[in-house]
Amino acid sequence: MTDKIGANAALGQLEGWLAGAGDRDVIQKTFKFSDFKTAWGFMSSVALKAEAMDHHPEWFNVYNKVDVTLTTHDVNGVSDKDVELAKFMDSLSAKLG
């Protein structure tokens, strides 16, 4: 079972992520890439990781920008799963430039 840790605890382990606005316990980040192809490649790689984790992001893509919101619906808030996926995204984004 996954336990809720909350956005503030998650943000202490991450860089560049923000707590979501409103009453939802979420973390959010916008990733920007050089072009659409790179943004799509990022999303494809994250999709494979997310599927393996059975933990799927909320996201929105326009051209070279990917807006990501992470939360764990099973616990109604941010969990270690969100931190793990966020760290994967950060690492992948750094590699893609």
Side-chain angles (χ1 to χ4, degrees):
M1 172 111 186
T2 301
D3 292 325
K4 180 176 178 176
I5 63 170
N8 288 336
L11 294 176
Q13 303 174 57
L14 301 167
E15 289 188 32
W17 288 80
L18 302 171
D23 60 352
R24 290 182 70 205
D25 185 36
V26 302
I27 55 174
Q28 299 176 313
K29 188 170 185 175
T30 298
F31 294 91
K32 291 184 183 174
F33 301 96
S34 60
D35 53 29
F36 177 74
K37 178 177 69 174
T38 306
W40 193 265
F42 170 82
M43 291 177 70
S44 295
S45 295
V46 171
L48 294 174
K49 171 72 171 173
E51 188 65 16
M53 292 177 65
D54 192 27
H55 187 64
H56 306 93
E58 299 172 19
W59 54 13
F60 181 76
N61 165 247
V62 175
Y63 184 59
N64 68 334
K65 185 174 79 168
V66 180
D67 295 317
V68 177
T69 299
L70 297 178
T71 191
T72 303
H73 298 280
D74 294 344
V75 299
N76 197 31
V78 178
S79 75
D80 286 330
K81 282 186 171 186
D82 299 301
V83 173
E84 179 181 346
L85 191 55
K87 287 180 177 181
F88 177 83
M89 290 178 176
D90 287 343
S91 175
L92 180 60
S93 174
K95 290 176 188 172
L96 294 174

